[in-house]
Amino acid sequence: MSTFRTFLLRAIQRASQPTYIPHITLVILHILSNIQTLSIIIEPLFTFEQSGSVFNPNELAYYIHIVRVLGQIDSESGLIICVAISALYILSLAGLLIYCLIAPIAEEKVLKILTSALFAHSRVIFYFIHYFLIVNLDNQQNCSGDALYCGKYWTAILITLSLLNFALAFLKEFFLYKPQKTKDITNANSCLYPLISLFQKTLIICLLTFVNQSKYAVIDLNIVLTLASLYLLLETFPFYNLTILRISIAFNSLALGLSILLIPEICGSVKYSLFAALAVSSLVLKVSLIRLDLTLKRVIRMESRNPNAAIVLPILFKQ
């Protein structure tokens, strides 16, 4: 047992190298990941469209739901090709991960490819594949005929790919991350923040797809998870880079403002304008940034009792 544990720890250490993606690309991927979370926030308005609502696909950032096109593929050949591409990608990434875990010595180039691919997968690519597979899995309920994609084997393939897709993202965020500071500007000292984002993307899509009348539960869950994310950002300073920290706070503040406004919007009692949504989100953002700046000033003056101050203090002096 001790030998296996030692082998496992060494394997994880080899596979949890810092990413070798250019900084600008890391920032873009981080922003895209936050945009995907925003799309989850407003998802109930696309799924449960309200007549007269100002929040509708024609007025509010429909481009972030371009992935919906993938869930509406009608041709058998097109659907099979998309699933085949998804399967090839997932199995290739899983095979590369297994190779790096069990190989006595993995080449540095292979490790670079693996760590970079896993980062891009867990932060951005996972969402698109998850959305596509879950929507098409739900479509199996209305599928009839002798088509290939209507059988039980096709359903089993979609479920297996969905589980593997999530497993790869979860392994990256929970096991294969570096708590120590590295040159990776998205490097974090804790895996909690990216895990919340991952579970938010996963659970909300599943709830809205498979559970009828889940819009109220989805809104409540979004508010709880977004508040948890803001708390982690403001109290634990998960990111070593302050720019990435502020970007995350900005997106989560916007997400919280939209989540709060969705409660009366979905209920149909009040119709807000896009200006009101932006005003509330801006207010949450301003309060969050003021809180962050006050905390950082206390850290510099050595007045903070936050146990995470020791993490952020060297970064403040450097930046």
Side-chain angles (χ1 to χ4, degrees), residues 162-180:
S162 297
L163 292 175
L164 286 174
N165 184 47
F166 174 79
L168 287 170
F170 180 78
L171 284 172
K172 165 63 180 73
E173 300 299 358
F174 189 70
F175 291 105
L176 308 179
Y177 81 98
K178 280 283 187 182
Q180 299 86 7

Side-chain angles (χ1 to χ4, degrees), residues 176-310:
L176 308 179
Y177 81 98
K178 280 283 187 182
Q180 299 86 7
K181 189 177 185 304
T182 67
K183 293 181 180 180
D184 180 354
I185 61 173
T186 59
N187 181 220
N189 58 59
S190 169
C191 63
L192 289 179
Y193 178 77
L195 276 178
I196 289 177
S197 177
L198 176 63
F199 278 105
Q200 188 170 11
K201 295 174 184 178
T202 304
L203 293 176
I204 300 304
I205 290 176
C206 290
L207 280 175
L208 290 173
T209 304
F210 298 124
V211 181
N212 293 328
Q213 300 300 320
S214 61
K215 53 186 177 181
Y216 303 113
V218 166
I219 294 173
D220 293 339
L221 185 59
N222 276 329
I223 292 176
V224 170
L225 293 178
T226 304
L227 281 172
S229 295
L230 269 177
Y231 174 82
L232 288 173
L233 290 168
L234 293 172
E235 293 296 327
T236 67
F237 313 113
F239 294 107
Y240 291 104
N241 186 282
L242 293 181
T243 300
I244 295 296
L245 181 65
R246 287 190 171 92
I247 290 175
S248 301
I249 291 174
F251 273 102
N252 278 275
S253 299
L254 177 59
L256 182 60
L258 289 174
S259 297
I260 293 173
L261 285 179
L262 278 180
I263 298 175
E265 175 70 19
I266 288 293
C267 294
S269 59
V270 181
K271 299 301 178 184
Y272 290 105
S273 65
L274 182 58
F275 174 78
L278 293 176
V280 172
S281 299
S282 299
L283 178 61
V284 176
L285 173 60
K286 188 174 182 62
V287 172
S288 299
L289 290 179
I290 290 175
R291 170 67 184 277
L292 176 64
D293 289 338
L294 290 175
T295 302
L296 294 179
K297 288 179 181 178
R298 288 199 299 268
V299 170
I300 293 176
R301 293 195 298 263
M302 304 295 184
E303 298 174 355
S304 176
R305 296 182 180 179
N306 191 325
N308 297 286

Side-chain angles (χ1 to χ4, degrees), residues 19-31:
T19 61
Y20 294 87
I21 303 175
H23 286 184
I24 184 63
T25 306
L26 286 173
V27 173
I28 292 174
L29 290 174
H30 187 72
I31 291 175

